[in-house]
Amino acid sequence: MITLLCFTLLVHRGIHLSPPLDYFEQVSETHMGDDSFLRAAEQRYKGFLELFRMTNSKFFLVPTYDIDLIWHAHQLDPIAYNKDITQILGRVLGHDDSDSDRTPGHKLQQGFAQTCKLWLETYGIIYERAGAMYRGEPPSAIPRSMSLQSMLP
């Protein structure tokens, strides 16, 4: 179904395909390249797709970053992605990364809460996974005009 390490290897080599810098910040930790972590992520991705199938895609389901990494990797082969997803869901599933408002009560937060609830009801385990959760905003870049000399007393 997925070339498991393809996207991860690209990310860890610093090759950006389309995800923004804050996405890279979320998936660039070394454990995101660990085989056992990724194999579990692939299984979780399959479970995530099953939630879409079970709910007939009625909900805005939100992936954790391990699932999202595998989802992006799957999309790197659009022919396989189209075939696999159509076989599972009966249609191609779009992937919209544009919503980043994590404010309580907004779409992303509500979707994540719904996904957690469905995951627990369906699989009997919590959805959150260590190393796969949002880690906050990436650190600010140091302005080019600043030099080490300008920071010293």
Side-chain angles (χ1 to χ4, degrees):
M1 180 173 165
I2 300 166
T3 303
L4 184 61
L5 298 177
C6 181
F7 184 75
T8 305
L9 290 174
L10 292 173
V11 166
H12 283 273
R13 290 187 178 135
I15 299 169
H16 302 277
L17 300 171
S18 64
L21 182 59
D22 58 337
Y23 181 81
F24 178 75
E25 178 73 20
Q26 301 301 321
V27 298
S28 62
E29 293 290 320
T30 56
H31 66 271
M32 286 286 194
D34 177 75
D35 283 347
S36 62
F37 186 87
L38 291 170
R39 290 190 199 296
E42 183 179 16
Q43 293 308 308
R44 286 168 45 83
Y45 173 62
K46 291 174 182 178
F48 184 73
L49 292 176
E50 178 62 15
L51 291 183
F52 272 110
R53 191 196 65 73
M54 289 171 34
T55 62
N56 203 21
S57 303
K58 292 179 194 170
F59 299 105
F60 179 70
L61 300 179
V62 178
T64 53
Y65 279 97
D66 63 326
I67 291 169
D68 200 47
L69 185 67
I70 300 300
W71 195 355
H72 280 269
H74 195 188
Q75 292 175 80
L76 287 174
D77 185 344
I79 293 169
Y81 181 76
N82 185 5
K83 177 182 165 274
D84 295 341
I85 299 302
T86 301
Q87 185 177 1
I88 295 166
L89 301 177
R91 66 176 182 81
V92 175
L93 179 63
H95 184 62
D96 181 4
D97 283 326
S98 65
D99 195 339
S100 61
D101 184 354
R102 297 176 183 281
T103 308
H106 284 85
K107 181 180 176 181
L108 194 59
Q109 186 272 329
Q110 288 180 336
F112 186 73
Q114 182 67 48
T115 308
C116 289
K117 180 178 183 282
L118 287 169
W119 190 274
L120 183 60
E121 290 171 354
T122 304
Y123 303 115
I125 56 174
I126 61 168
Y127 182 54
E128 294 93 336
R129 180 180 185 206
M133 306 309 296
Y134 179 66
R135 298 185 304 128
E137 293 295 319
S140 299
I142 297 173
R144 291 182 186 259
S145 61
M146 288 185 105
S147 68
L148 182 57
Q149 292 297 336
S150 68
M151 291 187 272
L152 296 175

